[in-house]
Amino acid sequence: MRESNLTQEQFKTGSMLKIFGLTYIFSLMITLTLMSLTVHQSGAIGMVGGPPLIDSAKPSFKAFMTDYGQAYRTFKHGALHGFMSGLFFAFPIIGVNGLFERKSWRYIFIHAGYWIVTLTLMGGIICAYV
């Protein structure tokens, strides 16, 4: 609260349903982008004509997925990409905003750290289980 310059009264305002509802929607938006960064096989679908359950998919897609379908599909690999997304994408955005808003480095590191950890976990879960 001190780093954000907010009071207890300011935290009590606002609709919690709206805050958590929009947070959920924004999180889903993040997962869609993060999925394309962590699951490398997703590009193959576009190259061979569509998902394998549709007749338009070429036979080479099945061969590709047989050979490489589970390559780099681990929590560790997804966590690495999630971490890199947090460090090289979220941190600079939060840093720029924080500098222009005249926030402290502590404020910037708290928020950037949260997103680095969150994106690391999201990337790992998406890559391993989707």
Side-chain angles (χ1 to χ4, degrees):
M1 284 176 38
R2 181 177 65 242
E3 294 301 319
S4 298
N5 296 323
L6 294 172
T7 64
Q8 283 281 356
E9 292 77 32
Q10 289 172 311
F11 269 111
K12 293 179 183 175
T13 62
S15 167
M16 294 309 282
L17 180 62
K18 177 179 153 185
I19 291 169
F20 283 106
L22 287 173
T23 298
Y24 181 75
I25 291 169
F26 293 150
S27 296
L28 290 176
M29 292 167 65
I30 292 168
T31 60
L32 293 175
T33 301
L34 201 55
M35 188 170 6
S36 67
L37 296 173
T38 60
V39 179
H40 301 293
Q41 292 84 348
S42 58
I45 293 173
M47 294 184 337
V48 297
L53 299 178
I54 298 175
D55 292 333
S56 65
K58 295 183 171 62
S60 60
F61 180 76
K62 184 174 183 180
F64 173 84
M65 290 304 285
T66 300
D67 291 341
Y68 304 106
Q70 295 302 314
Y72 300 107
R73 295 296 300 273
T74 65
F75 183 90
K76 182 178 171 182
H77 182 79
L80 172 66
H81 283 284
F83 175 80
M84 291 182 348
S85 298
L87 185 63
F88 294 109
F89 194 70
F91 174 54
I93 290 171
I94 292 166
V96 168
N97 283 349
L99 290 171
F100 277 103
E101 294 172 359
R102 310 304 193 262
K103 300 292 185 182
S104 69
W105 279 105
R106 183 176 179 165
Y107 174 92
I108 292 169
F109 288 138
I110 288 169
H111 287 276
Y114 166 80
W115 281 109
I116 290 170
V117 170
T118 299
L119 291 170
T120 299
L121 293 173
M122 287 173 76
I125 291 168
I126 289 168
C127 192
Y129 301 108
V130 172

